[in-house]
Amino acid sequence: MPIQQSIPATLIPGDGIGPEIVDATLKVLDALGAPFQWDQRVAGLEGVKTAADPLPPDTIASIRRTRLALKGPLETPSGGGYRSSNVRLREEFKLFANLRPARTLIPGGRFDNIDLVVVRENLEGLYIGHEHYIQIDADPHAVAMATGVNTRQGSRRLLEFAFDHAVATGRKKVAIVHKANIMKALTGIFLETGLELYERKYRGKFALDTVIIDACAMKLVLNPWQFDVLVTTNLFGDILSDLVAGLVGGLGMTPGANIGLDAAIFEAVHGSAPDIAGKGIANPTAILLAAAMMLEHCKLPELAVRLREALHQTLNIDNIRTGDLGGRASSAEFTNALVGRIANA
Ligand code: NAD
């Protein structure tokens, strides 16, 4: 067997349950023999506590060097005027694509056999933070305004990423989700760029559909199986990716990847769950699925397959589940079972 070269990667355990679920993930990746060489750094609340900065310069420098990170959830300290470390990371490394697959892992839920991917534009649109108020008489907040910005270039690189992802993963259909009937310029540019790109480069490789965001939300609840890949602008993508997470049992089961030209950062979609932090009962499934995406990103798909298969066996055959999934296993019991499945595969 060829000797696998080690892959430098930044590890940010994060806040709340972050260190617990990241620790579980390291055990599982070790059992798989994943060749990551970790450079552990802090961010979020832990960054403020230990380095007086929610995104310390040496954390940024580490990711600049490795171009790859696995990240636990980060809390943005309230007060003190701190900006979200997650938003800063996206901007710093121009992580323009947010990739969120939603796949049924535990059968028998309200929706079964879901296999969807939402690709969200991560840097533009209404999330650029150009907001202000206009005072009228004594009311300083009488009028609130926000400016959205979508560029041709930003739309094209995201759409190209989504279309390439569809082709590379053998997807049959892509839907461009928009609101170009009302926001003719802001989301019209995204729709128009997508249609033009499809005609020029992708026709025949998959079927392309276009759907208005409000209708899309309804269709996803009535018949989610009619969709395959959904690609959309920032705000719509934020909402839709939580909607599809709900179709597969909630945020605890959903991984996310933030991908740019300079780096890729993998994470669970859920937050730091301060209500259960330190109790040893957190479910590490979402960040384990993010680790599987990271393995695929590093061209180690066979390890990703083994990880997902072991998760399926532990959850559905051994019936070992944490409390949020109706089970009684601690995080450690769940992790040990998973490691056992990997070792005995
Ligand atoms: P949350 O996702 O942390 O928790 C929501 C509920 O889900 C809680 O009851 C929690 O116990 C439960 N939960 C979440 N993950 C779980 C897991 N793996 N296992 C078992 N139960 C789990 O959302 P929140 O309470 O709104 O946010 C808490 C903090 O996390 C906030 O500071 C928020 O800003 C931050 N946050 C960070 C990220 C990120 O870094 N990507 C994402 C979302 C929220």
Side-chain angles (χ1 to χ4, degrees):
M1 234 167 110
I3 296 169
Q4 174 72 56
Q5 279 205 330
S6 68
I7 302 172
T10 304
L11 183 70
I12 303 173
D15 300 315
I17 58 169
E20 301 166 46
I21 57 175
V22 165
D23 186 53
T25 307
L26 292 183
K27 291 196 169 88
V28 171
L29 287 172
D30 272 353
L32 284 166
F36 295 117
Q37 188 187 71
W38 299 108
D39 181 23
Q40 188 166 327
R41 298 287 161 176
V42 294
L45 215 50
E46 197 52 34
V48 173
K49 278 188 205 148
T50 59
D53 188 344
L55 193 56
D58 62 352
T59 301
I60 295 178
S62 172
I63 301 174
R64 184 149 293 127
R65 183 175 60 78
T66 61
R67 300 164 55 110
L68 184 67
L70 182 67
K71 183 184 83 56
L74 302 178
E75 280 176 40
T76 304
S78 48
Y82 293 114
R83 283 185 71 225
S84 150
S85 319
N86 290 316
V87 173
R88 279 179 63 198
L89 277 171
R90 276 180 221 154
E91 289 174 357
E92 183 73 37
F93 294 102
K94 299 187 182 58
L95 305 172
F96 64 86
N98 186 271
L99 187 63
R100 278 219 206 156
R103 240 183 242 128
T104 303
L105 204 59
I106 299 180
R110 201 175 310 168
F111 297 92
D112 229 339
N113 294 315
I114 297 290
D115 184 7
L116 289 167
V117 180
V118 175
V119 187
R120 162 190 170 191
E121 202 292 320
N122 230 1
L123 297 175
E124 300 194 331
L126 277 161
Y127 278 24
I128 58 170
H130 287 195
E131 291 196 298
H132 62 274
Y133 293 106
I134 297 174
Q135 175 159 1
I136 297 179
D137 299 330
D139 182 357
H141 289 177
V143 180
M145 300 180 74
T147 307
V149 174
N150 283 325
T151 63
R152 173 89 64 204
Q153 192 202 22
S155 300
R156 188 181 294 129
R157 74 180 168 189
L158 187 270
L159 285 151
E160 213 153 24
F161 174 87
F163 290 177
D164 285 343
H165 180 79
V167 174
T169 53
R171 297 275 171 171
K172 302 281 177 280
K173 276 192 292 186
V174 177
I176 300 177
V177 186
H178 66 93
K179 187 76 185 175
N181 52 331
I182 304 291
M183 292 188 280
K184 291 184 172 31
L186 187 66
T187 84
I189 194 172
F190 187 81
L191 174 62
E192 182 188 296
T193 305
L195 292 173
E196 183 273 329
L197 182 67
Y198 180 73
E199 287 307 324
R200 188 162 49 79
K201 260 179 79 180
Y202 295 91
R203 178 168 277 287
K205 297 185 176 167
F206 53 82
L208 185 73
D209 202 1
T210 65
V211 54
I212 294 176
I213 176 68
D214 35 344
C216 181
M218 178 195 63
K219 288 177 175 187
L220 272 168
V221 174
L222 285 179
N223 174 14
W225 302 277
Q226 68 189 292
F227 292 106
D228 195 350
V229 176
L230 298 144
V231 57
T232 190
T233 47
N234 207 340
L235 171 61
F236 299 158
D238 195 5
I239 298 166
L240 278 191
S241 48
D242 272 23
L243 195 162
V244 301
L247 299 176
V248 296
L251 297 179
M253 307 296 279
T254 325
N258 295 285
I259 296 182
L261 298 179
D262 300 331
I265 300 182
F266 297 83
E267 63 183 344
V269 167
H270 61 72
S272 60
D275 52 335
I276 58 165
K279 294 186 178 162
I281 56 172
N283 180 3
T285 300
I287 195 159
L288 284 163
L289 291 170
M293 293 177 82
M294 185 169 168
L295 289 166
E296 277 164 348
H297 178 82
C298 295
K299 312 236 172 329
L300 296 166
E302 64 290 346
L303 294 188
V305 168
R306 283 175 57 201
L307 172 45
R308 291 199 186 99
E309 181 58 24
L311 269 170
H312 159 70
Q313 290 166 335
T314 305
L315 288 166
N316 298 320
I317 298 175
D318 306 336
N319 269 315
I320 297 180
R321 300 178 186 177
T322 46
D324 57 308
L325 300 177
R328 284 195 309 204
S330 65
S331 316
E333 284 161 352
F334 178 74
T335 308
N336 289 340
L338 199 51
V339 166
R341 274 293 186 177
I342 290 168
N344 297 323

